[in-house]
Amino acid sequence: MSVALPVLTLDAVQTHIGAYHILQGVDFVVPAGEVTMLLGRNGAGKTTTMRMIMGLWRASAGRILFDGM
């Protein structure tokens, strides 16, 4: 039995916008073939995280892997 690699991995991702430290060490994994939700209160960084995943904004630290790349 083989283990599928995660579709998406965020590892210690940080984002700065100007002088503001928006995301601070975000980690999560989206397993292949699974549904994953990103939940949080207003201002928690959901939209910023999605913009990072889509490549609209760059991480100032950490890494984002999609299909292992």
Side-chain angles (χ1 to χ4, degrees), residues 9-41:
T9 302
L10 273 71
D11 181 26
V13 172
Q14 296 187 38
T15 304
H16 290 82
I17 299 174
Y20 299 100
H21 196 178
I22 306 300
L23 296 180
Q24 301 175 15
V26 175
D27 296 306
F28 71 83
V29 174
V30 177
E34 304 249 346
V35 175
T36 301
M37 245 189 265
L38 184 60
L39 300 172
R41 60 178 169 66

Side-chain angles (χ1 to χ4, degrees), residues 25-66:
V26 175
D27 296 306
F28 71 83
V29 174
V30 177
E34 304 249 346
V35 175
T36 301
M37 245 189 265
L38 184 60
L39 300 172
R41 60 178 169 66
N42 291 349
K46 300 177 301 294
T47 300
T48 301
T49 301
M50 293 305 296
R51 287 179 178 161
M52 300 281 301
I53 291 168
M54 293 185 293
L56 298 175
W57 290 353
R58 298 197 96 161
S60 54
R63 64 185 184 151
I64 300 171
L65 299 174
F66 180 72

